[in-house]
Amino acid sequence: MRYHNYFQNVAYETAKLSYATRLKVGAVAVKDRRIICVGFNGTPPGEDNCCEDENNVTKPNVIHAEDNLIRFAEKHKINLEGCDIYITHSPCRNCADLIHRAGFAKVYFSEYYRTSDGPEFLNSVGIPSIFLGA
């Protein structure tokens, strides 16, 4: 449990880097008790960092933390196969698919995000999706 707390705390610290005002999400890829890379939700590189529109609705171009982490890993040729991922919030269904395709072994999260579709999908394809609690 000691390592779960540590990596989950790193996910929350990473989330603080997000410019989002509605919800800050962080993700950490871990292999052999070592951090491989991190990601947080935000706009694509080179775009305005504002994540919400004038009505405080998340803009459609905002990239989720898990997606940002996976994109970074792909760009830098970091192999995520067999890694665990620690996320502040449960993955949405789209991110769950990205997690599956990237080859993650386990998913840990502390808060539920909207629906349980993501964790249910991951569990159905043999990737344990584990709620750590807040």
Side-chain angles (χ1 to χ4, degrees):
M1 195 61 174
R2 172 176 137 177
Y3 285 99
H4 292 313
N5 290 337
Y6 170 70
F7 295 127
Q8 202 61 17
N9 285 336
V10 172
Y12 276 100
E13 287 299 313
T14 301
K16 291 177 183 178
L17 298 172
S18 174
Y19 286 92
T21 57
R22 291 182 61 225
L23 181 64
K24 296 177 184 289
V25 180
V28 180
V30 174
K31 182 123 185 192
D32 299 325
R33 295 187 178 163
R34 299 282 186 247
I35 294 172
I36 303 301
C37 62
V38 300
F40 55 89
N41 58 320
T43 57
E47 293 189 18
D48 178 359
N49 285 325
C50 186
C51 295
E52 291 84 12
D53 64 19
E54 60 279 350
N55 298 315
N56 202 33
V57 174
T58 300
K59 292 179 180 177
N61 63 327
V62 170
I63 302 168
H64 289 192
E66 307 92 304
D67 190 0
N68 248 337
L69 182 152
I70 292 167
R71 289 178 190 211
F72 178 87
E74 287 173 352
K75 179 179 178 181
H76 296 281
K77 299 181 180 15
I78 298 169
N79 183 6
L80 298 173
E81 186 78 33
C83 287
D84 293 338
I85 187 169
Y86 289 79
I87 316 166
T88 56
H89 295 73
S90 62
C92 69
R93 179 59 178 81
N94 272 354
C95 287
D97 187 52
L98 294 174
I99 289 166
H100 176 241
R101 286 186 299 180
F104 281 97
K106 292 180 186 169
V107 176
Y108 298 94
F109 64 96
S110 294
E111 300 179 52
Y112 280 94
Y113 173 73
R114 294 188 188 166
T115 72
S116 59
D117 294 354
E120 288 172 6
F121 167 75
L122 290 166
N123 287 324
S124 77
V125 296
I127 300 172
S129 184
I130 302 158
F131 175 68
L132 295 174

